[in-house]
Amino acid sequence: EAGVAQSPRYKIIEKRQSVAFWCNPISGHATLYWYQQILGQGPKLLIQFQNNGVVDDSQLPKDRFSAERLKGVDSTLKIQPAKLEDSAVYLCASSLVTGAGSIQYFGAGTRLSVL
Amino acid sequence: AQKVTQAQTEISVVEKEDVTLDCVYETRDTTYYLFWYKQPPSGELVFLIRRNSFDEQNEISGRYSWNFQKSTSSFNFTITASQVVDSAVYFCALSSQGGKLIFGQGTELSVKP
């Protein structure tokens, strides 16, 4: 079974530029998550989708971050404009179901450096 | 508020030593789940174990074992006879409503030959 696919693996941009990350979850997984992991810290949830609807985006900086999952399968996370503090690894995860206790499977992440 | 604390930032051991990674959590929910994930240098978080708040039985899987104690709000992870391949960052996480994972800061384990 294929795992969670993310691209690109690495991205270097200058501040104020825009960037987009792509994620394809495990086939059949209804729930998709985007996490931000700053160096030396644990991942922090940015947004959670169930199918193509948003379940939780309370920690998404909506003035610059946006995400969509239009057909309920793959998803795109965008940052526009980027700031220096956005340098982090962006991890995508998926789970079969939504709710406490659902096991999340993670992709390898996209490492973003903002100069 | 929910919180997970992993007080050990880095641990270094020699191969074949036993090592315990500590995890303390805070939640007001009566139903919750605890997880451990491993993050090797490749970056992908690998699921290791899930426990629910009603099951305090310890669990052993090969060289790995987990000790869940609600009385002290702890969910510690022990690796017996550590190996170089165990070197990674280990995260403890808490989940209750909605499924969002609340992660600790992580413990970087270095196993030297």
Side-chain angles (χ1 to χ4, degrees):
Chain A
E1 178 181 88
V4 176
Q6 289 189 247
S7 67
R9 285 299 314 274
Y10 306 92
K11 190 73 177 178
I12 301 174
I13 62 173
E14 296 189 350
K15 61 182 179 183
R16 290 189 289 273
Q17 286 187 323
S18 62
V19 64
F21 314 128
W22 175 82
C23 171
N24 192 36
I26 293 172
S27 178
H29 279 198
T31 311
L32 185 147
Y33 314 78
W34 283 101
Y35 287 84
Q36 179 192 57
Q37 185 178 17
I38 293 172
L39 186 64
Q41 299 182 17
K44 181 185 79 173
L45 181 73
L46 291 175
I47 189 166
Q48 177 182 346
F49 292 95
Q50 182 175 358
N51 297 312
N52 60 351
V54 175
V55 174
D56 183 349
D57 63 356
S58 57
Q59 297 191 84
L60 185 74
K62 298 180 184 64
D63 57 335
R64 299 183 299 107
F65 286 66
S66 64
E68 59 184 13
R69 194 185 183 199
L70 293 175
K71 295 182 179 179
V73 180
D74 56 350
S75 175
T76 303
L77 176 69
K78 297 179 181 177
I79 307 175
Q80 181 180 14
K83 292 185 175 182
L84 295 176
E85 59 260 36
D86 298 332
S87 294
V89 176
Y90 291 85
L91 294 163
C92 180
S94 69
S95 62
L96 192 59
V97 295
T98 297
S102 54
I103 297 173
Q104 297 178 28
Y105 298 92
F106 286 78
T110 297
R111 184 177 297 275
L112 174 66
S113 296
V114 182
L115 307 177
Chain B
Q2 298 185 317
K3 186 179 179 182
V4 175
T5 301
Q6 294 179 256
Q8 305 149 308
T9 305
E10 297 178 14
I11 299 177
S12 181
V13 300
V14 177
E15 208 169 19
K16 298 183 184 176
E17 284 186 24
D18 298 348
V19 58
T20 295
L21 309 182
D22 297 332
C23 172
V24 174
Y25 63 91
E26 296 175 29
T27 182
R28 294 182 180 177
D29 294 329
T30 54
T31 301
Y32 54 89
Y33 291 78
L34 296 164
F35 298 78
W36 276 94
Y37 280 84
K38 174 182 180 180
Q39 188 173 42
S42 61
E44 184 173 337
L45 281 156
V46 178
F47 166 76
L48 295 178
I49 190 171
R50 174 188 63 183
R51 303 295 284 175
N52 74 54
S53 51
F54 299 106
D55 184 359
E56 286 193 72
Q57 280 191 333
N58 292 334
E59 181 153 341
I60 298 174
S61 176
R63 296 184 296 106
Y64 295 172
S65 63
W66 291 269
N67 180 257
F68 176 29
Q69 291 193 332
K70 285 179 74 171
S71 60
T72 56
S73 297
S74 65
F75 186 42
N76 296 336
F77 173 28
T78 297
I79 301 175
T80 302
S82 60
Q83 299 176 1
V84 173
V85 294
D86 295 327
S87 296
V89 181
Y90 290 86
F91 289 96
C92 180
L94 169 68
S95 166
S96 56
Q97 303 163 11
K100 175 173 74 174
L101 288 173
I102 307 293
F103 285 89
Q105 296 277 77
T107 296
E108 183 172 4
L109 175 64
S110 176
V111 182
K112 301 187 186 309

